[in-house]
Amino acid sequence: MSERAAPFYCPYCGDEDLRPSEQGHGAWECAACNRAFQLKFLGLLSRGHQQDRKGTKGGDGI
């Protein structure tokens, strides 16, 4: 089984100094802004991947 992916930056301040928290699975601490946060996968969307109005799949149209 593969290891879970870790966040690359803090969602609050954008700093990359993150450490796993003792609060449990998916919990992280940011040393820069002194905040703790938790990541959780909610599930897949039932609608799947849809096409936009221009007929191209997803993306930002660039």
Side-chain angles (χ1 to χ4, degrees):
M1 189 174 284
S2 65
E3 191 174 315
R4 299 281 182 194
F8 293 111
Y9 56 88
C10 174
Y12 298 100
C13 71
D15 199 86
E16 297 177 357
D17 191 6
L18 301 177
R19 298 181 178 113
S21 176
E22 296 178 0
Q23 296 297 318
H25 182 72
W28 294 87
E29 298 174 355
C30 176
C33 68
N34 204 30
R35 288 186 171 116
F37 59 94
Q38 188 169 16
L39 302 176
K40 181 178 179 181
F41 178 70
L42 299 177
L44 297 174
L45 300 175
S46 62
R47 65 178 180 255
H49 190 69
Q50 296 180 347
Q51 293 186 349
D52 65 12
R53 294 181 207 178
K54 297 178 184 176
T56 59
K57 289 187 177 183
D60 53 10
I62 295 177

